[in-house]
Amino acid sequence: MKLSSLRLFGVLLFGVAVTHCGGSDTERAAPGAGGTSSAGKSGSGSGGSSSGGTSGTAGAGSGGTATGGSGATDASSGSGGTSGTASGGSSTGGSGATDASTDTGSGDAGPDARSDAAPDTGTSDGGPVSLACTAGAPGGTKATLQMATATFSQTYFTSSSVTRAIDGILDDNRGWAIAPDGSTNIGAQTAAFELASTTPAHPNGTRITFVLTHNFSNPADHALGRFRLSVTTASRDQFADGNDGLTTPGNTGSNALWTAVTPVSGCGSMPVTMSKLGDQSVLVTEHDITPVVYTVIAETPLKSITGVRLEALEDSSLPHSGPGLQDTNGNFVLTEIEVYTAAL
């Protein structure tokens, strides 16, 4: 009887040891309220858990959950963090920080975000970047702009065709404006222009100086509030058809043709503060400043440029969401746009 009991105890002890050694992928759950682990590892945090993965890891955070297949998966820290899938592994959660970064705008190396998409209002870390004023006199070669085209030009109050923005008259108060009527619902609009001559193929890319003149000053707030500048190397027959948008929308080219340039300096002839947002657009925060001239220096890796585009964009910080600074309806009047190019 005693011998049988000893044999049974030995078998049970051996079985427990085998069971413990068999879980080669099992990791301990780090301290945290409710943290559990099954063939994976869960980091500290309330409710963090992981299951089924060889090396799935749920990072710290409230409610972060990672489920892995054969590959490692990381759920970044944050409330309800989510991450992408690696070799069958996946993770799920609410809205939080993610390992897979999301492109929130267009850089200077590819087509920019669609102008009808929800605009990004900050940089990748959530805030705008102030543009220092480093511009002097415009440097480089002045480009001749032609075939002014717009998705819309104002006929209300006065004819404000986009063609006025390249007529070379810098001392009048006329220009491109976009108020459709007496309402405050203006919305975003786009203008595009051909360069009469293609820019040189600079080896390292192109530095572009944009000079935007606003002379209309009755009242003194008809300047752009948020705008984005882009360039293209496409054939001229693909954009800027010369339709100024007074009666029907002009063809400013598909968004795939355009690459947003990266602003590196922003100045005003009146005191202004310019900030670069995450989609490479520029936001101006001062009102009641016209007449005013903006000088924006931007860079792009592109060379042999054939056209430029200006998007007037809405922003919740502007009067009536803009895209201009005009207090009663968010309009602007762009008297002239000038472009200078140089080697980067």
Side-chain angles (χ1 to χ4, degrees):
M1 189 70 174
K2 292 182 179 179
L3 180 60
S4 298
S5 298
L6 288 174
R7 287 177 177 173
L8 178 59
F9 177 78
V11 168
L12 291 174
L13 182 61
F14 181 76
V16 170
V18 169
T19 301
H20 177 73
C21 295
S24 60
D25 290 333
T26 301
E27 298 286 346
R28 70 180 182 276
T36 63
S37 175
S38 172
K41 179 170 61 180
S42 69
S44 62
S46 175
S49 65
S50 69
S51 61
T54 301
S55 56
T57 304
S62 174
T65 302
T67 47
S70 60
T73 312
D74 287 336
S76 302
S77 62
S79 176
T82 66
S83 75
T85 302
S87 300
S90 64
S91 68
T92 58
S95 60
T98 64
D99 273 359
S101 60
T102 302
D103 186 5
T104 56
S106 57
D108 55 9
D112 65 340
R114 294 180 297 113
S115 59
D116 59 349
D120 179 11
T121 56
T123 61
S124 58
D125 61 0
V129 175
S130 180
L131 286 174
C133 177
T134 60
T141 302
K142 185 175 182 179
T144 299
L145 303 182
Q146 62 187 23
M147 298 295 286
T149 304
T151 52
F152 180 81
S153 288
Q154 173 178 317
T155 58
Y156 167 74
F157 183 69
T158 183
S159 177
S160 300
S161 168
V162 70
T163 59
R164 295 184 182 276
I166 59 168
D167 61 8
I169 302 174
L170 299 175
D171 56 359
D172 68 358
N173 63 359
R174 308 294 291 274
W176 181 45
I178 60 171
D181 49 37
S183 73
T184 59
N185 184 21
I186 290 183
Q189 299 295 343
T190 300
F193 310 88
E194 290 181 2
L195 271 60
S197 300
T198 303
T199 64
H202 301 301
N204 298 319
T206 308
R207 176 176 287 109
I208 308 174
T209 302
F210 296 88
V211 181
L212 308 174
T213 300
H214 311 82
N215 280 344
F216 191 87
S217 56
N218 185 25
D221 49 13
H222 281 76
L224 282 161
R226 184 181 178 195
F227 57 94
R228 180 166 53 204
L229 300 160
S230 303
V231 296
T232 185
T233 60
S235 171
R236 291 174 176 81
D237 60 4
Q238 297 185 58
F239 66 95
D241 61 0
N243 181 352
D244 62 7
L246 284 173
T247 56
T248 59
N251 177 22
T252 57
S254 69
N255 288 291
L257 297 178
W258 297 98
T259 298
V261 295
T262 300
V264 296
S265 171
C267 302
S269 58
M270 297 283 285
V272 297
T273 297
M274 295 187 189
S275 299
K276 180 184 72 171
L277 304 186
D279 62 353
Q280 309 301 334
S281 64
V282 175
L283 180 65
V284 182
T285 56
E286 273 69 23
H287 297 183
D288 302 330
I289 55 175
T290 53
V292 65
V293 179
Y294 298 164
T295 302
V296 177
I297 298 177
E299 298 176 349
T300 177
L302 295 185
K303 57 199 75 171
S304 303
I305 293 167
T306 57
V308 297
R309 180 176 75 168
L310 185 153
E311 295 170 273
L313 301 172
E314 294 182 288
D315 192 273
S316 59
S317 70
L318 302 175
H320 304 282
S321 295
L325 299 177
Q326 212 285 314
D327 286 332
T328 60
N329 64 2
N331 199 12
F332 64 88
V333 178
L334 179 63
T335 304
E336 194 80 8
I337 176 172
E338 300 171 88
V339 174
Y340 299 80
T341 66
L344 185 60

